[in-house]
Amino acid sequence: MGGNKAVAYKGPGVVEVIDIDYPTFELKDGPGVNPANVGRKVPHGAILKTVATNICGSDQHMVRGRTTAPADLVLGHEITGEVVEVGPGVEFIAVGDLVSVPFNISCGRCRNCKERKTGICLNVNPDRPGSAYGYVDMGGWVGGQAEYVLVPYADWNLLKFPDKDQAMEKILDLAMLSDIFPTGFHGAVTAGVGVGSTVYVAGAGPVGLAAATSALLLGASAVIVADMNADRLAQAKSFGCETVDLTKGGPVEQIEQILGVPEVDCGIDAVGFEAKGHGEGASEAPATVLNDLMDLTAAGGALGIPGLYVTGDPGGIDEAAKKGALSLSLGTGWAKSLSFTTGQCPVMKYNRELMMAILHDRVHIAGNVNATAITLADAPRGYAEFDKGAAQKYVLNPNGYLDAA
């Protein structure tokens, strides 16, 4: 086969499109690859020709230099593709299948996978439970912002779309199944959202908008989305959300103006460790969102926390933050009997059902997150605009499949 172009992290604020090797059914040495994974055979894998691969806020944390990601790490964990090769151990996935790839890499064999905890698979990352494509400290599986990508444990990991023509008609929606739609849905489910719930979503980026979409899909009566970015707040309003502008101060008073009470039933953190304080020009204060959620969520409620928190942040505001240690008012959470759910979303727990909701026109996630297709060559521009707060979900189109989308 020929070559392979991919988007790589070069250093803080810099990504480039580079030439990399075409995938094989073996994990090779390279930036970020755990030595214990070098030479790992993947007869159970499939090679995909990428249909869509999205820029994610989690990628942006690395590109900002806020993680320990090494230079030349190939990025991208939100992948939709067409199978072009399968390994000798693949039984059910076939060449030509159009598939969604959960961003969690999981084996399907370990105790956690068998319990549907695919975000913390025990067998794919020698560093710790849980893995993902193109991400720091996740084992070194090559990222999918590329023309071609290897997916291990293909029979287990890949979600096949039942009808290729129907799928291509809704491909921008289906491209959200690899991460942000299940992640937002997980945030809503773990926050306890149900029929009639009032919900507060911190953050109007793509995951926050996906969480808001999910809350509405689950029957929430009121979904309030908070951010400091006017364009992103306008995007939330476009599909029926109320909004809180945090440049005008804290959320509690604004929630009371909307609901008549200063609290909600369910709280969702879609911001993570780069959170800021309140008010115009607020500086970084990484515990702000979590403390806000404990203040404004009703006693006995739950917090869904799909926002990313890390154990190593070179750009942290103090020595504690650099280790992921935040000043949380845990006493508030304890006194109010709040429950917390953190960590990677187990995508496979939700993606099939969400696929069916998309295919049967129950939800239009691409419109809600303003999904926008761009070329692979345009990836550096997409990263730069996203970093500046563009109210768009950039979807890379490495092989031209999205030209008609």
Side-chain angles (χ1 to χ4, degrees):
M1 297 295 293
N4 189 14
K5 292 189 179 298
V7 179
Y9 167 68
K10 303 297 286 187
V14 181
V15 299
E16 291 181 7
V17 178
I18 65 171
D19 291 307
I20 64 171
D21 291 337
Y22 182 85
T24 65
F25 295 105
E26 179 181 326
L27 191 55
K28 305 288 181 64
D29 196 8
V33 180
N34 187 294
N37 260 352
V38 174
R40 183 171 181 163
K41 306 298 184 185
V42 191
H44 43 69
I47 295 172
L48 308 187
K49 187 175 184 179
T50 305
V51 171
T53 177
N54 313 333
I55 295 175
C56 180
S58 299
D59 299 320
Q60 200 73 62
H61 291 305
M62 289 190 290
V63 172
R64 290 182 186 130
R66 297 298 297 268
T67 72
T68 56
D72 291 319
L73 181 75
V74 174
L75 300 166
H77 56 270
E78 299 190 19
I79 308 161
T80 307
E82 182 176 19
V83 178
V84 293
E85 291 187 56
V86 296
V90 175
E91 186 174 1
F92 303 111
I93 290 292
V95 170
D97 286 346
L98 192 63
V99 296
S100 178
V101 185
F103 79 89
N104 327 103
I105 303 171
S106 57
C107 72
R109 295 151 164 81
C110 70
R111 172 182 174 177
N112 285 349
C113 285
K114 290 178 180 180
E115 294 176 355
R116 303 185 78 190
K117 300 173 184 175
T118 54
I120 43 174
C121 174
L122 300 173
N123 287 334
V124 289
N125 181 5
D127 287 318
R128 61 171 66 94
S131 187
Y133 303 90
Y135 213 84
V136 59
D137 295 334
M138 288 292 185
W141 300 92
V142 177
Q145 288 177 11
E147 293 173 320
Y148 298 90
V149 63
L150 171 69
V151 174
Y153 303 102
D155 284 327
W156 167 255
N157 280 306
L158 295 178
L159 175 64
K160 177 183 172 181
F161 300 139
D163 183 287
K164 288 179 72 173
D165 291 336
Q166 182 192 26
M168 286 307 300
E169 291 175 0
K170 300 177 181 295
I171 194 62
L172 284 179
D173 292 288
L174 294 170
M176 302 303 121
L177 289 174
S178 55
D179 182 355
I180 66 162
F181 196 10
T183 293
F185 195 82
H186 182 61
V189 168
T190 56
V193 177
V195 174
S197 298
T198 57
V199 184
Y200 176 84
V201 180
V207 169
L209 296 175
T213 299
S214 300
L216 293 170
L217 186 63
L218 288 164
S221 59
V223 178
I224 302 169
V225 180
D227 207 291
M228 295 182 168
N229 182 312
D231 291 338
R232 290 183 171 183
L233 290 175
Q235 187 64 29
K237 287 181 180 178
S238 74
F239 59 94
C241 299
E242 303 285 348
T243 58
V244 162
D245 183 350
L246 293 173
T247 66
K248 297 179 179 178
V252 174
E253 297 79 7
Q254 296 183 65
I255 289 171
E256 186 168 20
Q257 292 172 9
I258 295 168
L259 298 178
V261 293
E263 63 183 18
V264 295
D265 301 319
C266 313
I268 302 171
D269 174 4
V271 177
F273 73 101
E274 289 192 63
K276 295 181 179 179
H278 308 137
E280 189 73 45
S283 58
E284 188 168 314
T288 299
V289 169
L290 293 172
N291 286 328
D292 281 349
L293 288 173
M294 286 188 280
D295 284 338
L296 59 83
T297 302
L303 311 184
I305 309 173
L308 175 67
Y309 289 87
V310 295
T311 57
D313 173 12
I317 61 171
D318 54 35
E319 290 306 310
K322 290 177 181 179
K323 300 175 183 177
L326 308 181
S327 298
L328 298 180
S329 181
L330 192 59
T332 300
W334 191 94
K336 296 175 73 174
S337 295
L338 299 174
S339 59
F340 301 69
T341 301
T342 66
Q344 285 189 35
C345 162
V347 170
M348 292 173 68
K349 189 173 182 178
Y350 308 108
N351 63 349
R352 182 172 297 279
E353 291 82 356
L354 294 176
M355 174 187 74
M356 297 304 289
I358 289 169
L359 293 177
H360 291 276
D361 290 319
R362 297 300 180 190
V363 65
H364 302 281
I365 183 66
N368 289 3
V369 301
N370 197 16
T372 305
I374 61 175
T375 65
L376 193 71
D378 263 347
R381 175 180 65 84
Y383 270 98
E385 292 181 359
F386 188 49
D387 190 50
K388 293 175 183 176
Q392 291 173 292
K393 175 67 173 177
Y394 287 107
V395 180
L396 302 180
N397 180 24
N399 291 299
Y401 286 88
L402 305 182
D403 290 347

